């Protein structure tokens, strides 16, 4: 007989622990811990990508890797190393500090691992592109 699925309660969601991964950082003599995006972070990332695609804008890559690092770097307890403001953003000075303190190769490694851990690889970008194209053609809708 198959096991029954547990019906989840609000308490189950509130106690959820997000997946983490340690990213090797030999440049710093150890590793850095990253955390997967929560639903709000993922939706914000996808909405921004969709908005840029619809507008035909080139992505502003000026702080892309620092922004990702700020959004995912956590300590051993899972608390963000760079807590966002009330709107979920990081100020430019914080992003500049991250860029100055972490080398480009390490930022690339953090970015790639965070994309993978949060399920934001090419598959997700293709979904954004498909949804945006169908929205442009009037055959889809995005609420």
């Amino acid at each position: 007989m198959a096991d029954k699925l547990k019906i989840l309660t609000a308490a189950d969601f509130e106690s959820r622990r997000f997946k983490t991964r340690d990213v090797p950082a030999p440049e710093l003599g150890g590793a850095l811990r990253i955390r997967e995006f929560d639903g709000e972070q993922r939706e914000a990332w996808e909405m921004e990508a969709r908005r840029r695609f619809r507008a035909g804008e080139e992505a502003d890559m000026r702080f892309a890797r620092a922004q990702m690092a700020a959004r995912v770097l956590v300590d051993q307890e899972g608390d963000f190393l760079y807590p966002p403001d009330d709107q979920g953003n990081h100020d430019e000075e914080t992003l500049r500090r991250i860029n100055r303190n972490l080398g480009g190769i390490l930022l690339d490694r953090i970015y790639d691992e965070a994309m993978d851990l949060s399920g934001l690889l090419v598959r997700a970008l293709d979904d954004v592109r498909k949804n945006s194209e169908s929205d442009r053609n009037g055959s889809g809708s995005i609420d």
Side-chain angles (χ1 to χ4, degrees):
M1 180 175 225
D3 291 335
K4 288 187 177 183
L5 292 176
K6 177 184 175 190
I7 304 299
L8 300 174
T9 67
D12 293 320
F13 293 117
E14 291 170 6
S15 65
R16 182 184 186 287
R17 301 299 299 170
F18 289 93
K19 290 186 293 183
T20 60
R21 182 180 295 169
D22 292 341
V23 177
E27 305 89 336
L28 301 176
L32 293 169
R33 181 161 291 165
I34 62 171
R35 190 194 93 167
E36 70 177 309
F37 275 3
D38 61 29
E40 193 170 275
Q41 289 173 306
R42 183 178 175 123
E43 285 181 357
W45 186 89
E46 289 174 341
M47 291 300 292
E48 179 63 15
R50 189 174 293 130
R51 184 195 66 74
R52 286 181 185 280
F53 186 81
R54 272 198 211 131
E57 295 177 20
E58 290 294 320
D60 179 3
M61 298 300 290
R62 190 166 47 131
F63 291 116
R65 282 162 180 70
Q67 188 71 254
M68 180 65 81
R71 292 177 180 179
V72 300
L73 285 171
V74 294
D75 62 19
Q76 288 193 325
E77 286 76 40
D79 296 323
F80 289 107
L81 296 181
Y82 301 98
D85 64 20
D86 292 340
Q87 287 77 43
N89 299 313
H90 294 87
D91 63 74
E92 190 170 320
E93 181 53 39
T94 297
L95 300 177
R96 286 182 189 282
R97 192 170 60 245
I98 291 169
N99 273 342
R100 281 193 305 266
N101 293 331
L102 302 178
I105 293 172
L106 180 54
L107 283 169
D108 279 347
R109 199 175 310 128
I110 292 166
Y111 186 90
D112 292 345
E113 291 287 339
M115 292 285 287
D116 180 52
L117 186 63
S118 294
L120 295 171
L121 293 174
V122 175
R123 224 174 23 253
L125 291 174
D126 286 342
D127 288 345
V128 167
R129 188 172 293 116
K130 278 189 262 178
N131 288 337
S132 294
E133 286 172 355
S134 66
D135 189 46
R136 279 187 194 166
N137 298 330
S139 60
S141 65
I142 301 173
D143 295 322

